[in-house]
Amino acid sequence: MRTASITRKTHETDIHVEVNLDGTGQYSVSTGIGFLDHMIEQFSRHSLIDIACRIKGDLHVDQHHTTEDSAIAIGQAIAQALGDKAGIGRYGDVNSPMDEALSRVSLDISGRPYLVWKAAFTQEKLGEFDTELVEHWFHSIAQAVGITLHIELLYGTNNHHICEGIFKGFARAMRTAVELDPRKGGAVPSTKGILGAKSL
């Protein structure tokens, strides 16, 4: 089983995360931010990555540290569970519809983190969650896992649908990318023989 756990404590947040890449999409999420909980739960359910995530953050300041650190810790746990990435699909590319909104998420678990973000929201909050932090969550998890990540909103008007569609698209793309392909015979999916910073 490809599992990992991360405990991360700073003056801003106290986090414990556990992941199982070969799970069934089971989750237990408590960040103190209801909408962020909902999005991480969507990520778990549709990626089939089991996620337990408990955070106590400085929400009396704002939501930035809790949102950022949730992505960092989940990303670090996924990276740890991936190990040398032998046998994984590596790539994921998904069109993700939710009612009137359609997003596209394309990613490569390359070890070379990069985010291209082409989406926008027309309201400042979803529930109590600051929408400007959605892009930052994806930037943080891309950095922590080592993903080249492209996210584009093709069209849509409802901000909840836009955000949830993006998270579900990311989940489905990650499911494809982290799954083991038996045809690869355990080989690292790169002609260099490694994936990560050393493969640059």
Side-chain angles (χ1 to χ4, degrees):
M1 299 290 282
R2 296 177 297 162
T3 62
S5 64
I6 295 289
T7 298
R8 189 173 188 271
K9 188 171 184 177
T10 70
H11 292 302
E12 298 167 345
T13 56
D14 183 353
I15 302 179
H16 181 74
V17 167
E18 298 176 5
V19 303
N20 177 4
L21 300 185
D22 302 306
T24 58
Q26 301 300 307
Y27 54 80
S28 175
V29 180
S30 177
T31 67
I33 305 170
F35 193 82
L36 180 59
D37 288 356
H38 182 46
M39 292 300 100
I40 295 173
E41 290 166 357
Q42 295 295 335
F43 172 55
S44 173
R45 176 56 53 87
H46 294 282
S47 66
L48 298 183
I49 299 172
D50 293 346
I51 297 177
C53 178
R54 179 197 56 76
I55 305 177
K56 293 182 179 178
D58 59 353
L59 295 177
H60 63 286
V61 176
D62 65 9
Q63 300 175 344
H64 184 99
H65 300 141
T66 298
T67 301
E68 178 181 55
D69 288 2
S70 72
I72 291 171
I74 292 170
Q76 288 174 338
I78 291 172
Q80 183 176 309
L82 282 168
D84 65 2
K85 307 178 183 68
I88 66 168
R90 178 175 168 175
Y91 297 95
D93 183 24
V94 169
N95 286 325
S96 182
M98 186 164 185
D99 294 353
E100 88 300 337
L102 180 64
S103 302
R104 182 177 183 183
V105 179
S106 299
L107 62 84
D108 173 13
I109 305 179
S110 60
R112 300 186 300 274
Y114 197 88
L115 174 66
V116 175
W117 174 267
K118 294 186 177 181
F121 298 98
T122 57
Q123 62 191 60
E124 293 183 357
K125 288 184 178 292
L126 286 166
E128 78 280 19
F129 185 58
D130 298 329
T131 53
E132 70 172 5
L133 295 175
V134 177
E135 178 182 359
H136 190 59
W137 192 92
F138 283 104
H139 177 268
S140 298
I141 200 167
Q143 290 289 322
V145 182
I147 303 171
T148 301
L149 177 58
H150 295 253
I151 295 175
E152 182 178 11
L153 172 65
L154 302 178
Y155 46 81
T157 56
N158 182 286
N159 288 267
H160 188 131
H161 295 166
I162 290 168
C163 187
E164 188 166 337
I166 287 171
F167 269 87
K168 287 178 175 177
F170 177 61
R172 291 169 52 218
M174 282 293 287
R175 176 181 173 180
T176 301
V178 305
E179 282 187 340
L180 296 172
D181 185 344
R183 295 177 61 196
K184 293 183 177 178
V188 174
S190 171
T191 55
K192 297 180 181 71
I194 59 171
L195 284 171
K198 294 180 180 178
S199 67
L200 290 173

